[in-house]
Amino acid sequence: MGFAKSVVSVGLVVVAVVLFTASSCLGSTDPRDVEALNSLYLTLGLPALVGWEVLGGDPCGEQWQGISCVFSNVTSIKLNGVNLGGTLNEDFGLLASVIEIDLGNNNIGGSIPSSLPQTLKNFSLSGNNLSGSIPDTFSSLTQLFDLSLNNNTLSGGIPDVFEKLTVLMTLDLSGNNLTGQLPQSMGNLSALYKLHLQNNRFSGFLDVLVDLPLNDLDIENNQFFGPVPQKLLNIPNFRKDGNPFNTTIIASPPIALPPSMPPAEEPSDRSSRHIPWNPYNPPSGSEKSHSARGGFLTTKRIKWIAIAGAAVLVIVAVVACILMLTCCKRKVNKDDVSHRINARKGLPEKPNYSKSSTQSNKQVKNVGKETVLKMPPDVQRASDRRIGGGANPQDEQEVHVKKVASSSRHAKDQELEMSGVDVKFTKLQPPPPPFLAVPKLAVDPITSGLATTKKRPTDNTNLSSSIKTFTIGLLQQCTNSFSEENFIGEGMVGSVYWAELPDGRLAAVKKLTTTASRLQNDDEFLDLVFKISELIHANVVKVIGYCNDHRQRLLVYEYFNNGTLYDALHVDDELHAKLSWNVRIRVALGAASALHYLHEVCQPSVVHQNFKSANILLDDKLAVGVSDCGLASLLTGSASQLSLNAYYGYGAPESESGNFTCKTDVYSFGVVLLELLTGRKSYDRSRSRGEQSLVRWAIPQLHDINALTRMVDPSLNGTYPVKSLSRFADIISRCVQFEPEFRPAISEIIQDLLPMI
């Protein structure tokens, strides 16, 4: 009998093991992720979380509380403020695909695990009871965008781990017991715009932060000392109270002539011997007589110094007056030249904008950075727009300024003789007629706007025969020495400035960053210039010229006066009102035509790699020009920036691993179509968590006609054909497929868009 019971017991155990194994095999979650979550649940003290288990289970299939998945992989753990306790363990490293971990505002103790998923982009442990130090293994989190460890009891110094964290945008270490100086590798945080270090015990200087693109810096209540760098004082949100900064300059004491040597003294008289005067030990008693003897010489020297100083001031004032008169004369000459240019072209006189009058209309507030930029003084609109493309389109990255109306852009070029200008100007062929200007698309939209391919010159000196070569001196004149007033925005490979060329035309000058310039030698850069000059299409922004002078590399593009599609959708209400349903379809068709030219006409194919609404420019008729075409080789060394682009919703899943094909551009094009459909940004932090990523929010609703109707941009007021709306949603759905092979070619998309006109 006992033997029979034993056999039954063993049988039950075997059945249980088989059932558990079967359930694990049938589950839709990666077993490694299940193991990591089981272990986490145990170390957190078995909190009351819906669906969570200590052993086995199916987090993705059973929708465990706070868990989000993509297919079989856990990609997000969000358990903010759910009264968690216990500690964290080292099994975090088993989560091979997690992008976001938010365990903030709980009661978790212990230390931060040293093993963390290298795929992390958002990591928050704020508002807990964590102690110990910050692990050195943070150096491997190269995809990290946001790190929040504030309001814990962490101690020790900040490890030197930031060398490769070049996409980190926000770092919050406030409210801890951290000490020591800031590590030198913090200077590599080229994307950091928010840094909170308040309420710690940091010390040392702040020089390491000087070159960072900070918009929000809080270092209150620490022990930083020394002078505050001037660049930090220009940060819009800078809080520094509660630190022993040295804000005064101690003047050097006056230099006095050495006193005469006193006679030799006996050893017994040493106590009454003269002690030399210094500013911290003033003379008294027996020293007064010596002070009186040296007073005449000191006063006389001070008088001479005062006379010399006055003379220097007079000379400086005279020189300043001469310079002012010279500048005024040059200004008059420049105005006279401008008058003659306009007279030749039959254009009206430009108004004389004063600095004060233009500043009130040329400032725009960045949504995320709150950075104020200025626009060219030739135009006044309801809101500012960007010129030339290349600026980042999101809350923390984008600042757009208004374009200048370029009525002379397509006018006949005039040759202007200017003395002292070291540049060769050659006449450019007029651009081909815009693709969207053809009534009812009477021509083939796929082949329109193409020009004969030029032959690559065997000698780089022949490059100037097709596009213009500019000197850095001339471009400095045209951009007012790349001043803040001419600054348009910051792109992935450089800054963009508006310029007025000597022939009167307006242009957008892209000044490449040092990092982008170092990727190529002179021959490679000239080869790049030739290749992008070959890209001739009505919907591709044309390159006018280039500069490779004194280690400075710049690209000069044609000027678009109506800003970017991003501006029209998210910034400029006046332009937004002009985006009817038919206009949006035409914009989509123009952008698709540019991609078709790059993908299927150019040989070899050109992959854009940075396609987004901020790189789709609009002219005065809202015809499209796609910018930054052919610059992928400059982006190759900016993997962090490409990851940033992917983070903001434009990048296809495979692009995060550096795999770029024409199908990655198709995915980005689908995201732009979603912006056109909904009027929303591709990534919007101001919205709730579930609606921040446009793709993730929209995809589940595209095939539900009722949900789709609610998604449409409210500004359209229902003025669209329902059938056309459904077809548009179907195109989007196919473009943003997770697997590249399931996305259509851009030529198929054009054929689907054409009947919607």
Side-chain angles (χ1 to χ4, degrees):
M1 189 68 175
F3 176 75
K5 289 183 177 180
S6 300
V7 172
V8 171
S9 299
V10 171
L12 291 175
V13 171
V14 171
V15 171
V17 171
V18 171
L19 289 176
F20 172 73
T21 305
S23 64
S24 298
C25 295
L26 293 174
S28 60
T29 309
D30 189 315
R32 293 174 300 175
D33 293 348
V34 175
E35 181 183 350
L37 294 180
N38 290 154
S39 179
L40 176 63
Y41 186 53
L42 183 62
T43 58
L44 290 177
L46 308 179
L49 297 176
V50 177
W52 285 63
E53 298 179 16
V54 177
L55 187 62
D58 185 7
C60 296
E62 299 170 356
Q63 297 183 350
W64 286 11
Q65 181 179 345
I67 301 298
S68 298
C69 303
V70 173
F71 298 110
S72 62
N73 298 113
V74 174
T75 58
S76 176
I77 303 175
K78 292 189 287 187
L79 296 171
N80 189 297
V82 293
N83 199 29
L84 300 178
T87 60
L88 304 175
N89 59 17
E90 298 294 331
D91 287 341
F92 264 128
L94 296 175
L95 298 165
S97 303
V98 70
I99 295 175
E100 179 179 17
I101 296 178
D102 184 358
L103 303 176
N105 301 312
N106 287 291
N107 299 306
I108 302 173
S111 58
I112 301 174
S114 59
S115 176
L116 294 169
Q118 296 186 6
T119 54
L120 269 178
K121 294 184 177 180
N122 296 301
F123 189 34
S124 175
L125 296 176
S126 60
N128 282 284
N129 298 319
L130 294 167
S131 58
S133 60
I134 300 174
D136 293 337
T137 51
F138 270 88
S139 60
S140 64
L141 305 183
T142 56
Q143 300 185 42
L144 198 61
F145 288 99
D146 298 286
L147 176 59
S148 299
L149 304 177
N150 52 295
N151 298 325
N152 284 283
T153 57
L154 300 174
S155 57
I158 303 178
D160 202 9
V161 297
F162 301 104
E163 182 176 358
K164 297 181 179 180
L165 273 62
T166 52
V167 298
L168 188 65
M169 298 170 56
T170 63
L171 176 60
D172 194 344
L173 303 177
S174 60
N176 284 286
N177 296 319
L178 298 171
T179 58
Q181 301 184 11
L182 303 183
Q184 288 299 315
S185 61
M186 268 193 170
N188 294 340
L189 298 177
S190 56
L192 191 70
Y193 79 93
K194 176 182 176 181
L195 177 61
H196 283 187
L197 302 174
Q198 69 270 22
N199 301 320
N200 281 284
R201 291 183 290 156
F202 292 118
S203 59
F205 296 96
L206 298 173
D207 295 347
V208 70
L209 306 178
V210 166
D211 295 325
L212 302 184
L214 290 169
N215 181 265
D216 186 352
L217 176 60
D218 192 340
I219 58 171
E220 288 185 335
N221 303 321
N222 279 284
Q223 299 173 15
F224 291 112
F225 53 81
V228 180
Q230 181 61 40
K231 286 186 178 180
L232 298 186
L233 295 176
N234 296 330
I235 295 176
N237 299 309
F238 180 35
R239 298 170 293 281
K240 60 183 176 60
D241 294 339
N243 288 278
F245 288 122
N246 176 19
T247 57
T248 60
I249 301 176
I250 301 176
S252 301
I255 303 175
L257 294 178
S260 58
M261 187 65 68
E265 299 174 346
E266 296 296 330
S268 59
D269 296 333
R270 287 180 182 177
S271 60
S272 61
R273 190 173 61 182
H274 166 69
I275 301 175
W277 178 87
N278 67 73
Y280 305 105
N281 185 21
S284 60
S286 62
E287 298 167 352
K288 290 182 180 180
S289 60
H290 172 73
S291 178
R293 288 196 305 270
F296 171 76
L297 293 176
T298 301
T299 303
K300 183 177 181 180
R301 186 177 183 86
I302 292 174
K303 288 181 179 179
W304 280 109
I305 292 175
I307 294 173
V312 170
L313 291 175
V314 172
I315 294 173
V316 170
V318 172
V319 172
C321 292
I322 294 173
L323 291 175
M324 290 177 63
L325 291 174
T326 303
C327 291
C328 291
K329 184 177 180 181
R330 289 179 180 177
K331 178 74 167 59
V332 171
N333 292 337
K334 182 177 179 181
D335 291 342
D336 182 60
V337 171
S338 177
H339 172 75
R340 287 188 283 117
I341 293 174
N342 293 335
R344 292 185 185 185
K345 296 183 177 182
L347 299 178
E349 287 291 333
K350 293 183 180 179
N352 184 18
Y353 293 91
S354 65
K355 185 174 181 180
S356 60
S357 65
T358 59
Q359 285 178 346
S360 62
N361 292 285
K362 68 187 175 183
Q363 296 181 348
V364 61
K365 186 176 182 183
N366 183 347
V367 178
K369 286 190 173 182
E370 299 180 3
T371 303
V372 175
L373 299 182
K374 301 181 178 180
M375 72 177 187
D378 302 75
V379 96
Q380 305 295 329
R381 294 183 67 90
S383 62
D384 298 337
R385 308 188 191 105
R386 196 180 62 81
I387 309 168
N392 293 329
Q394 302 307 326
D395 292 347
E396 290 86 3
Q397 300 292 321
E398 280 288 1
V399 179
H400 299 284
V401 290
K402 186 175 182 179
K403 310 311 176 292
V404 180
S406 179
S407 59
S408 63
R409 187 160 56 90
H410 298 302
K412 182 177 179 181
D413 291 337
Q414 300 291 333
E415 297 295 330
L416 179 65
E417 297 180 358
M418 295 186 63
S419 60
V421 177
D422 184 16
V423 59
K424 182 179 180 181
F425 283 89
T426 58
K427 210 166 188 178
L428 296 177
Q429 294 182 355
F435 151 61
L436 290 178
V438 181
K440 296 186 179 180
L441 301 175
V443 298
D444 183 1
I446 295 180
T447 59
S448 66
L450 305 184
T452 304
T453 302
K454 294 172 287 184
K455 184 177 179 181
R456 176 70 165 94
T458 56
D459 186 355
N460 285 331
T461 59
N462 294 330
L463 195 59
S464 60
S465 63
S466 56
I467 60 174
K468 297 179 181 178
T469 305
F470 296 87
T471 64
I472 187 63
L474 177 65
L475 291 182
Q476 283 181 331
Q477 295 177 18
C478 296
T479 60
N480 193 20
S481 296
F482 302 102
S483 67
E484 182 182 355
E485 293 183 352
N486 289 61
F487 180 73
I488 297 170
E490 193 76 26
M492 284 190 178
V493 296
S495 305
V496 184
Y497 300 82
W498 70 271
E500 183 175 0
L501 300 181
D503 59 2
R505 290 184 303 165
L506 294 172
V509 179
K510 185 184 293 290
K511 187 177 183 182
L512 301 185
T513 63
T514 303
T515 302
S517 297
R518 287 176 180 173
L519 293 174
Q520 299 175 328
N521 57 34
D522 287 342
D523 289 339
E524 291 170 335
F525 175 68
L526 292 176
D527 189 65
L528 170 69
V529 173
F530 174 78
K531 287 179 179 178
I532 62 177
S533 70
E534 283 186 310
L535 302 177
I536 307 297
H537 188 274
N539 300 117
V540 172
V541 178
K542 183 180 180 181
V543 62
I544 297 173
Y546 73 101
C547 172
N548 187 24
D549 191 12
H550 296 286
R551 298 182 180 180
Q552 298 286 330
R553 290 178 176 173
L554 305 95
L555 299 171
V556 184
Y557 287 94
E558 66 175 318
Y559 197 90
F560 276 70
N561 62 308
N562 242 339
T564 70
L565 178 60
Y566 180 91
D567 296 329
L569 287 171
H570 312 305
V571 178
D572 191 330
D573 293 336
E574 181 182 346
L575 265 182
H576 196 126
K578 297 180 180 180
L579 295 180
S580 64
W581 179 253
N582 285 337
V583 169
R584 296 183 194 217
I585 299 299
R586 288 179 176 272
V587 168
L589 198 51
S593 181
L595 285 181
H596 175 267
Y597 168 72
L598 297 176
H599 291 178
E600 302 181 24
V601 177
C602 293
Q603 295 297 329
S605 297
V606 177
V607 180
H608 193 286
Q609 295 193 17
N610 190 25
F611 191 85
K612 53 189 177 183
S613 60
N615 279 335
I616 299 175
L617 310 185
L618 304 174
D619 68 7
D620 52 354
K621 296 182 180 179
L622 299 183
V624 165
V626 177
S627 67
D628 279 9
C629 297
L631 299 186
S633 59
L634 299 180
L635 295 170
T636 302
S638 304
S640 61
Q641 292 288 358
L642 292 175
S643 297
L644 185 64
N645 197 34
Y647 175 67
Y648 280 119
Y650 291 103
E654 68 272 14
S655 66
E656 296 189 30
S657 59
N659 184 21
F660 293 93
T661 65
C662 293
K663 293 300 181 72
T664 60
D665 284 350
V666 171
Y667 183 98
S668 302
F669 179 77
V671 180
V672 172
L673 294 187
L674 267 179
E675 289 185 82
L676 286 168
L677 173 68
T678 65
R680 294 189 178 208
K681 300 175 183 177
S682 62
Y683 191 90
D684 191 349
R685 289 197 170 198
S686 65
R687 296 184 180 273
S688 61
R689 288 280 186 177
E691 297 186 12
Q692 289 182 355
S693 172
L694 180 58
V695 173
R696 291 184 183 179
W697 170 76
I699 291 304
Q701 309 177 66
L702 287 177
H703 298 293
D704 182 343
I705 190 61
N706 294 325
L708 181 61
T709 305
R710 293 192 295 269
M711 287 172 54
V712 178
D713 189 346
S715 67
L716 291 174
N717 296 319
T719 56
Y720 50 82
V722 176
K723 186 176 180 180
S724 179
L725 177 64
S726 179
R727 182 176 298 175
F728 198 74
D730 181 64
I731 296 173
I732 295 172
S733 179
R734 290 188 291 130
C735 288
V736 296
Q737 289 291 318
F738 186 85
E739 299 295 338
E741 56 268 23
F742 294 136
R743 300 172 202 150
I746 198 68
S747 55
E748 296 179 31
I749 297 172
I750 291 178
Q751 297 303 326
D752 290 338
L753 286 171
L754 280 172
M756 300 171 60
I757 294 293

